């Protein structure tokens, strides 16, 4: 079984490299010295990653976000929030995951994702749900999403069953 978590981390780093490369290749008219320093840091981050040190590469990328913010570069990339970062990393990782996961596992994960989506949508339409139940739905959906991201169908199915139990309790056909 491939290390799906590593694939996700690599995808996050690749996305950051692409975002920064695109920004640094654009002509924004911003401070040339700061942009040159950012370009050098990006090259160092890419070199660290190529040498098998992704932790240093991630630290350098984080430093780039801080430098750009401190320099007040209005067009520089901003570090995405956790939800956006995960969504973007998933988008980058999906092609690689398709190549390394066996077909039966991909189909199983896709099937679970569809059931989660449908059950979640049905629960969203229930009128008068209390805040605690809505929080449970969000929490369980997030856990199921993490399990799917990590290609762990057993955990994802367990969360789907928890979501279905809430649906039955709310009078919604799962």
């Amino acid at each position: 079984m491939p290390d799906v978590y590593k694939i996700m981390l690599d995808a996050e780093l690749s996305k950051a490299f692409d975002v920064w490369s695109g920004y640094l290749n654009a002509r924004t008219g911003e401070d040339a010295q700061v942009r040159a320093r950012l370009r050098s840091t990006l090259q160092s981050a890419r070199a660290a990653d190529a040498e098998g040190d992704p932790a240093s590469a991630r630290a350098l990328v984080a430093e780039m976000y801080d430098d750009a913010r401190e320099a007040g570069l209005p067009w520089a990339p901003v570090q995405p929030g956790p939800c956006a970062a995960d969504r973007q990393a998933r988008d980058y990782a999906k092609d690689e995951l398709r190549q390394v996961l066996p077909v039966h596992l991909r189909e199983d994960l896709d099937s679970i994702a569809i059931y989660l989506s449908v059950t979640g949508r049905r629960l969203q339409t229930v009128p008068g749900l209390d805040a605690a139940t809505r929080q449970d739905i969000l929490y369980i959906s997030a856990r199921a999403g993490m399990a799917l991201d990590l290609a762990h169908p057993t955990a994802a199915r367990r969360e789907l069953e928890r979501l279905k139990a809430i649906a039955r309790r709310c009078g919604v056909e799962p």
Side-chain angles (χ1 to χ4, degrees):
M1 175 75 151
D3 185 352
V4 177
Y5 184 67
K6 181 184 178 322
I7 291 171
M8 293 296 285
L9 289 175
D10 291 347
E12 192 174 275
L13 196 53
S14 294
K15 186 237 4 141
F17 288 163
D18 288 350
V19 167
W20 279 104
S21 291
Y23 165 72
L24 292 169
N25 289 331
R27 295 182 184 178
T28 63
E30 296 169 318
D31 187 327
Q33 288 180 331
V34 174
R35 288 172 55 88
R37 189 172 64 239
L38 289 170
R39 188 172 280 107
S40 174
T41 305
L42 178 60
Q43 289 171 347
S44 297
R46 285 184 185 274
D49 188 46
E51 292 169 3
D53 189 5
S56 293
R58 279 194 262 309
L60 288 166
V61 167
E63 184 181 305
M64 291 175 69
Y65 286 111
D66 291 342
D67 285 351
R69 187 185 71 253
E70 289 170 7
L73 301 178
W75 305 111
V78 294
Q79 199 158 20
C83 186
D86 285 348
R87 190 173 46 252
Q88 292 166 3
R90 269 189 227 113
D91 197 39
Y92 266 69
K94 68 182 176 188
D95 294 332
E96 185 162 342
L97 286 172
R98 293 277 174 212
Q99 294 172 10
V100 297
L101 295 178
V103 172
H104 67 57
L105 179 58
R106 288 191 318 237
E107 289 174 350
D108 196 17
L109 294 170
D110 288 346
S111 175
I112 295 167
I114 290 168
Y115 281 112
L116 279 167
S117 175
V118 169
T119 305
R121 271 199 305 264
R122 286 181 178 162
L123 282 168
Q124 289 174 1
T125 64
V126 173
L129 278 183
D130 60 271
T133 302
R134 288 193 187 283
Q135 188 67 26
D136 286 347
I137 292 166
L138 290 172
Y139 178 75
I140 291 168
S141 297
R143 286 178 54 97
M146 285 189 298
L148 291 171
D149 286 347
L150 297 173
H152 198 297
T154 304
R157 260 192 232 95
R158 184 177 52 242
E159 299 307 323
L160 174 59
E161 289 306 316
R162 291 175 68 198
L163 200 59
K164 285 180 177 180
I166 291 173
R168 284 189 295 274
R169 198 171 64 233
C170 294
V172 175
E173 280 293 318

